[in-house]
Amino acid sequence: MQTDIHTHTTFSDGSDLSAMIDAAETAGLDALGLTDHCIVTDDAFGRRATYDLVKTYEQRREAVDAAREETTLTLYDAAEVSYVASEADAIREFLSTADFEYTIGSVHFADQYDYTANAQYAEAEDETCRAAVERYYDAVVELVESELFDVLGHLDLPERLPTLRGFSIPDDYERVAAALADSRTVPEINAGRVNRSLNRVHPDPGMIASFSNHGIKFVLGTDSHRPDEIVTRVPALEAVVDRSTIDIIEFDSLLS
């Protein structure tokens, strides 16, 4: 497998970085993308306070440069950036300054909706859940059309929440596929819930036909936050590729 494009080190002092690299080597990867969460502006859900790469990216870059001397893996200094349409100019300015080797853009929240936790939807009516999911795909299309990012992460994040699962419809995927067909942005197949709530990769393999019909290719990512997750999730991604007609893009083409 060429590379894992989506691995979080939750950077602190570099020890977590070394553990991720060791796990990637064990998993048989040739390259490792280090994509810590990066939230450029404050949000109503407190994620900026949890993930501080926007302040520590230079320190992490020094650690990545040092780690390159100790491994045969190709290491990519990258980031997963939360997209917020109203903050697009600030995000663009920060990305120009930070100059990551590549970026993943993800929608984690939009307007009043948080797509990372169930609590908001636990007792919500179906109409509310559907409205939240529809707003999610609106934001994903906005993300793609912004042309800010190399990769679209979490193509159908609401499916990871039991409270919102099943409220995505074929038209949602079709809208995203149509936007991607006109964009440089490449979507990701994400293994972040293989051993958790979904027990499979996402997006839903049954919905990928829309993307194939548009000639869209994918990249792969484990979305690992701990070293052991790399080792267990890489085989799941390999299995998806082996048993499907999904087109996988050569990762180096993202960097050209």
Side-chain angles (χ1 to χ4, degrees):
M1 190 179 218
Q2 184 187 28
T3 184
D4 174 4
I5 68 153
H6 194 162
T7 295
H8 299 290
T9 57
T10 315
F11 180 75
S12 56
D13 61 2
S15 59
D16 46 1
L17 177 62
S18 296
M20 285 293 196
I21 292 170
D22 290 344
E25 292 174 339
T26 299
L29 297 181
D30 299 317
L32 178 67
L34 299 158
T35 56
D36 299 69
H37 283 294
C38 185
I39 299 175
V40 176
T41 60
D42 290 328
D43 64 89
F45 307 104
R47 289 178 64 84
R48 170 73 180 271
T50 302
Y51 302 108
D52 65 350
L53 187 68
V54 70
K55 296 180 179 179
T56 63
Y57 72 90
E58 292 176 309
Q59 183 184 1
R60 192 197 67 167
R61 184 164 294 160
E62 292 176 359
V64 172
D65 287 341
R68 287 182 171 124
E69 303 298 320
E70 306 296 329
T71 182
T72 59
L73 289 176
T74 299
L75 301 180
Y76 294 105
D77 172 34
E80 182 194 2
V81 182
S82 286
Y83 175 74
V84 181
S86 62
E87 303 296 337
D89 289 343
I91 294 171
R92 181 176 287 104
E93 181 178 356
F94 171 74
L95 293 181
S96 177
T97 299
D99 194 25
F100 295 109
E101 290 181 88
Y102 70 86
T103 55
I104 298 172
S106 297
V107 173
H108 295 107
F109 41 83
D111 299 336
Q112 72 270 35
Y113 302 116
D114 178 7
Y115 301 105
T116 66
N118 283 299
Q120 184 177 355
Y121 315 104
E123 298 182 7
E125 299 289 337
D126 286 357
E127 292 80 2
T128 299
C129 292
R130 174 57 197 160
V133 170
E134 185 173 21
R135 180 66 188 98
Y136 175 82
Y137 290 104
D138 289 343
V140 169
V141 170
E142 292 165 5
L143 181 160
V144 173
E145 292 177 343
S146 77
E147 297 290 355
L148 282 169
F149 310 104
D150 302 293
V151 176
L152 168 62
H154 300 307
L155 194 154
D156 58 353
L157 188 63
E159 289 294 300
R160 289 173 39 157
L161 295 179
T163 50
L164 294 181
R165 191 171 304 148
F167 287 98
S168 298
I169 61 176
D171 184 60
D172 296 326
Y173 291 87
E174 178 62 27
R175 287 198 297 134
V176 176
L180 287 166
D182 293 327
S183 174
R184 70 179 182 88
T185 310
V186 179
E188 174 200 58
I189 294 176
N190 182 295
R193 286 297 185 273
V194 163
N195 305 116
R196 297 172 65 185
S197 59
L198 277 177
N199 293 315
R200 61 164 174 80
V201 301
H202 75 107
D204 181 346
M207 303 298 286
I208 290 179
S210 294
F211 299 86
S212 298
N213 292 340
H214 284 274
I216 293 168
K217 298 182 179 181
F218 290 81
V219 290
L220 304 173
T222 66
D223 196 4
S224 298
H225 291 64
R226 302 192 308 270
D228 62 292
E229 292 173 339
I230 296 179
V231 177
T232 58
R233 293 175 183 177
V234 165
L237 289 169
E238 291 174 335
V240 168
V241 173
D242 288 343
R243 67 172 180 258
S244 72
T245 58
I246 296 169
D247 288 327
I248 303 301
I249 195 171
E250 288 294 325
F251 183 75
D252 288 346
S253 66
L254 289 177
L255 308 178
S256 61

Short mmCIF file of all heavy atoms in Angstrom, two decimals, residues 41-74:
data_model
loop_
_atom_site.label_atom_id
_atom_site.label_comp_id
_atom_site.label_asym_id
_atom_site.label_seq_id
_atom_site.Cartn_x
_atom_site.Cartn_y
_atom_site.Cartn_z
N THR A 41 -10.34 28.68 13.10
CA THR A 41 -11.07 29.69 13.88
C THR A 41 -11.88 29.01 14.98
O THR A 41 -12.19 27.83 14.91
CB THR A 41 -12.02 30.50 12.99
OG1 THR A 41 -12.97 29.61 12.38
CG2 THR A 41 -11.25 31.22 11.89
N ASP A 42 -12.22 29.77 16.00
CA ASP A 42 -13.04 29.23 17.09
C ASP A 42 -14.40 28.79 16.57
O ASP A 42 -14.92 29.33 15.59
CB ASP A 42 -13.23 30.28 18.19
CG ASP A 42 -11.94 30.56 18.94
OD1 ASP A 42 -11.14 29.62 19.09
OD2 ASP A 42 -11.75 31.71 19.38
N ASP A 43 -14.98 27.80 17.24
CA ASP A 43 -16.30 27.32 16.85
C ASP A 43 -17.15 27.11 18.10
O ASP A 43 -16.64 27.08 19.22
CB ASP A 43 -16.18 26.00 16.07
CG ASP A 43 -15.61 24.89 16.92
OD1 ASP A 43 -16.39 24.18 17.59
OD2 ASP A 43 -14.38 24.70 16.94
N ALA A 44 -18.44 26.96 17.87
CA ALA A 44 -19.38 26.86 18.98
C ALA A 44 -19.30 25.52 19.70
O ALA A 44 -19.92 25.35 20.76
CB ALA A 44 -20.81 27.07 18.47
N PHE A 45 -18.54 24.56 19.15
CA PHE A 45 -18.51 23.22 19.71
C PHE A 45 -17.19 22.90 20.43
O PHE A 45 -16.97 21.78 20.85
CB PHE A 45 -18.78 22.20 18.60
CG PHE A 45 -20.03 22.49 17.84
CD1 PHE A 45 -19.99 23.05 16.58
CD2 PHE A 45 -21.28 22.25 18.40
CE1 PHE A 45 -21.15 23.35 15.88
CE2 PHE A 45 -22.45 22.55 17.73
CZ PHE A 45 -22.39 23.10 16.46
N GLY A 46 -16.30 23.89 20.53
CA GLY A 46 -15.10 23.74 21.34
C GLY A 46 -13.99 22.91 20.74
O GLY A 46 -13.04 22.56 21.44
N ARG A 47 -14.05 22.61 19.45
CA ARG A 47 -13.02 21.75 18.87
C ARG A 47 -11.67 22.48 18.75
O ARG A 47 -10.62 21.85 18.81
CB ARG A 47 -13.48 21.23 17.51
CG ARG A 47 -14.59 20.20 17.62
CD ARG A 47 -15.07 19.73 16.26
NE ARG A 47 -14.06 19.03 15.49
CZ ARG A 47 -13.76 17.73 15.61
NH1 ARG A 47 -14.40 16.99 16.49
NH2 ARG A 47 -12.84 17.18 14.85
N ARG A 48 -11.70 23.79 18.56
CA ARG A 48 -10.45 24.54 18.47
C ARG A 48 -9.63 24.38 19.76
O ARG A 48 -8.41 24.31 19.74
CB ARG A 48 -10.76 26.01 18.20
CG ARG A 48 -9.56 26.97 18.31
CD ARG A 48 -8.59 26.84 17.15
NE ARG A 48 -7.47 27.75 17.29
CZ ARG A 48 -7.45 29.00 16.83
NH1 ARG A 48 -8.49 29.49 16.19
NH2 ARG A 48 -6.39 29.75 16.99
N ALA A 49 -10.32 24.32 20.88
CA ALA A 49 -9.62 24.18 22.16
C ALA A 49 -9.00 22.80 22.32
O ALA A 49 -8.04 22.62 23.07
CB ALA A 49 -10.60 24.44 23.31
N THR A 50 -9.53 21.81 21.60
CA THR A 50 -9.04 20.44 21.70
C THR A 50 -7.87 20.18 20.75
O THR A 50 -6.94 19.46 21.09
CB THR A 50 -10.18 19.46 21.38
OG1 THR A 50 -11.26 19.70 22.29
CG2 THR A 50 -9.71 18.01 21.53
N TYR A 51 -7.91 20.79 19.58
CA TYR A 51 -6.90 20.53 18.55
C TYR A 51 -6.18 21.83 18.23
O TYR A 51 -6.79 22.79 17.75
CB TYR A 51 -7.56 19.97 17.29
CG TYR A 51 -8.33 18.69 17.53
CD1 TYR A 51 -9.72 18.68 17.51
CD2 TYR A 51 -7.67 17.49 17.79
CE1 TYR A 51 -10.42 17.51 17.73
CE2 TYR A 51 -8.36 16.33 18.02
CZ TYR A 51 -9.74 16.34 17.99
OH TYR A 51 -10.44 15.18 18.21
N ASP A 52 -4.86 21.85 18.46
CA ASP A 52 -4.14 23.12 18.39
C ASP A 52 -3.06 23.16 17.32
O ASP A 52 -2.12 23.94 17.41
CB ASP A 52 -3.52 23.44 19.75
CG ASP A 52 -2.44 22.44 20.17
OD1 ASP A 52 -2.30 21.40 19.50
OD2 ASP A 52 -1.74 22.71 21.16
N LEU A 53 -3.18 22.35 16.26
CA LEU A 53 -2.14 22.36 15.23
C LEU A 53 -1.98 23.74 14.61
O LEU A 53 -0.88 24.08 14.14
CB LEU A 53 -2.45 21.33 14.14
CG LEU A 53 -1.34 21.14 13.10
CD1 LEU A 53 -0.10 20.49 13.72
CD2 LEU A 53 -1.82 20.31 11.91
N VAL A 54 -3.03 24.52 14.60
CA VAL A 54 -2.94 25.86 14.04
C VAL A 54 -1.86 26.67 14.76
O VAL A 54 -1.29 27.62 14.19
CB VAL A 54 -4.32 26.57 14.11
CG1 VAL A 54 -4.70 26.90 15.54
CG2 VAL A 54 -4.34 27.81 13.24
N LYS A 55 -1.54 26.30 16.00
CA LYS A 55 -0.50 26.98 16.76
C LYS A 55 0.81 26.22 16.80
O LYS A 55 1.87 26.82 17.01
CB LYS A 55 -0.98 27.22 18.21
CG LYS A 55 -2.18 28.15 18.32
CD LYS A 55 -2.57 28.32 19.78
CE LYS A 55 -3.76 29.26 19.94
NZ LYS A 55 -4.17 29.40 21.36
N THR A 56 0.75 24.90 16.61
CA THR A 56 1.94 24.07 16.82
C THR A 56 2.50 23.47 15.54
O THR A 56 3.41 22.65 15.60
CB THR A 56 1.62 22.92 17.80
OG1 THR A 56 0.62 22.07 17.23
CG2 THR A 56 1.15 23.45 19.14
N TYR A 57 1.97 23.88 14.37
CA TYR A 57 2.39 23.20 13.14
C TYR A 57 3.89 23.36 12.86
O TYR A 57 4.53 22.45 12.32
CB TYR A 57 1.56 23.68 11.95
CG TYR A 57 1.84 25.08 11.48
CD1 TYR A 57 2.79 25.31 10.50
CD2 TYR A 57 1.15 26.17 12.00
CE1 TYR A 57 3.05 26.60 10.06
CE2 TYR A 57 1.40 27.44 11.57
CZ TYR A 57 2.35 27.67 10.60
OH TYR A 57 2.60 28.94 10.17
N GLU A 58 4.47 24.49 13.23
CA GLU A 58 5.90 24.68 12.98
C GLU A 58 6.73 23.76 13.88
O GLU A 58 7.74 23.18 13.45
CB GLU A 58 6.29 26.13 13.20
CG GLU A 58 5.70 27.07 12.16
CD GLU A 58 6.00 28.52 12.44
OE1 GLU A 58 5.76 28.97 13.57
OE2 GLU A 58 6.49 29.20 11.52
N GLN A 59 6.30 23.60 15.13
CA GLN A 59 6.97 22.69 16.04
C GLN A 59 6.83 21.26 15.55
O GLN A 59 7.79 20.48 15.57
CB GLN A 59 6.36 22.84 17.44
CG GLN A 59 7.02 21.98 18.51
CD GLN A 59 6.30 22.09 19.85
OE1 GLN A 59 5.29 22.80 19.96
NE2 GLN A 59 6.79 21.38 20.85
N ARG A 60 5.64 20.89 15.08
CA ARG A 60 5.47 19.54 14.55
C ARG A 60 6.31 19.33 13.30
O ARG A 60 6.88 18.26 13.10
CB ARG A 60 4.00 19.26 14.24
CG ARG A 60 3.74 17.77 13.96
CD ARG A 60 2.44 17.49 13.26
NE ARG A 60 2.42 18.00 11.90
CZ ARG A 60 1.50 17.67 11.00
NH1 ARG A 60 0.51 16.86 11.33
NH2 ARG A 60 1.54 18.19 9.79
N ARG A 61 6.42 20.35 12.47
CA ARG A 61 7.21 20.24 11.24
C ARG A 61 8.66 19.92 11.57
O ARG A 61 9.31 19.12 10.88
CB ARG A 61 7.10 21.53 10.44
CG ARG A 61 7.81 21.51 9.10
CD ARG A 61 7.31 22.66 8.24
NE ARG A 61 5.91 22.49 7.89
CZ ARG A 61 5.11 23.48 7.49
NH1 ARG A 61 5.57 24.71 7.39
NH2 ARG A 61 3.85 23.22 7.19
N GLU A 62 9.18 20.53 12.60
CA GLU A 62 10.55 20.23 13.02
C GLU A 62 10.68 18.77 13.44
O GLU A 62 11.67 18.10 13.12
CB GLU A 62 10.95 21.14 14.18
CG GLU A 62 11.08 22.61 13.79
CD GLU A 62 11.39 23.50 14.97
OE1 GLU A 62 11.48 22.96 16.11
OE2 GLU A 62 11.53 24.72 14.79
N ALA A 63 9.65 18.26 14.14
CA ALA A 63 9.68 16.86 14.56
C ALA A 63 9.58 15.92 13.36
O ALA A 63 10.24 14.88 13.31
CB ALA A 63 8.55 16.58 15.54
N VAL A 64 8.75 16.28 12.38
CA VAL A 64 8.63 15.46 11.17
C VAL A 64 9.95 15.44 10.41
O VAL A 64 10.41 14.39 9.95
CB VAL A 64 7.49 15.99 10.27
CG1 VAL A 64 7.49 15.26 8.93
CG2 VAL A 64 6.15 15.81 10.96
N ASP A 65 10.59 16.60 10.28
CA ASP A 65 11.88 16.66 9.58
C ASP A 65 12.92 15.79 10.28
O ASP A 65 13.69 15.08 9.62
CB ASP A 65 12.37 18.11 9.53
CG ASP A 65 11.59 18.96 8.54
OD1 ASP A 65 10.93 18.38 7.65
OD2 ASP A 65 11.65 20.20 8.66
N ALA A 66 12.91 15.82 11.61
CA ALA A 66 13.86 14.98 12.35
C ALA A 66 13.55 13.51 12.18
O ALA A 66 14.45 12.67 12.03
CB ALA A 66 13.84 15.36 13.83
N ALA A 67 12.26 13.17 12.15
CA ALA A 67 11.86 11.76 12.03
C ALA A 67 12.22 11.20 10.66
O ALA A 67 12.44 9.98 10.54
CB ALA A 67 10.35 11.64 12.27
N ARG A 68 12.28 12.03 9.65
CA ARG A 68 12.64 11.55 8.31
C ARG A 68 14.03 10.93 8.27
O ARG A 68 14.32 10.10 7.41
CB ARG A 68 12.55 12.71 7.31
CG ARG A 68 11.12 13.13 6.98
CD ARG A 68 11.09 14.24 5.94
NE ARG A 68 9.72 14.48 5.49
CZ ARG A 68 9.12 15.67 5.54
NH1 ARG A 68 9.77 16.73 6.00
NH2 ARG A 68 7.88 15.80 5.10
N GLU A 69 14.86 11.34 9.20
CA GLU A 69 16.22 10.80 9.25
C GLU A 69 16.26 9.42 9.87
O GLU A 69 17.28 8.71 9.76
CB GLU A 69 17.12 11.74 10.07
CG GLU A 69 17.19 13.17 9.56
CD GLU A 69 17.75 13.25 8.16
OE1 GLU A 69 18.72 12.51 7.87
OE2 GLU A 69 17.22 14.05 7.34
N GLU A 70 15.15 8.99 10.48
CA GLU A 70 15.14 7.74 11.23
C GLU A 70 14.25 6.66 10.60
O GLU A 70 14.09 5.59 11.19
CB GLU A 70 14.66 8.00 12.66
CG GLU A 70 15.43 9.07 13.41
CD GLU A 70 16.89 8.68 13.64
OE1 GLU A 70 17.16 7.47 13.77
OE2 GLU A 70 17.74 9.60 13.67
N THR A 71 13.67 6.93 9.44
CA THR A 71 12.76 5.97 8.83
C THR A 71 12.95 5.93 7.32
O THR A 71 13.39 6.92 6.72
CB THR A 71 11.29 6.33 9.15
OG1 THR A 71 10.42 5.35 8.58
CG2 THR A 71 10.93 7.69 8.63
N THR A 72 12.60 4.81 6.73
CA THR A 72 12.60 4.71 5.26
C THR A 72 11.26 5.14 4.68
O THR A 72 11.13 5.25 3.46
CB THR A 72 12.90 3.27 4.83
OG1 THR A 72 11.91 2.39 5.38
CG2 THR A 72 14.29 2.85 5.31
N LEU A 73 10.26 5.36 5.52
CA LEU A 73 8.97 5.85 5.04
C LEU A 73 9.10 7.26 4.48
O LEU A 73 9.89 8.07 4.98
CB LEU A 73 7.95 5.88 6.18
CG LEU A 73 7.41 4.58 6.74
CD1 LEU A 73 6.50 4.89 7.92
CD2 LEU A 73 6.66 3.80 5.69
N THR A 74 8.31 7.55 3.47
CA THR A 74 8.11 8.93 3.06
C THR A 74 7.08 9.54 4.00
O THR A 74 5.98 9.02 4.15
CB THR A 74 7.60 9.01 1.61
OG1 THR A 74 8.58 8.43 0.74
CG2 THR A 74 7.36 10.46 1.20
#
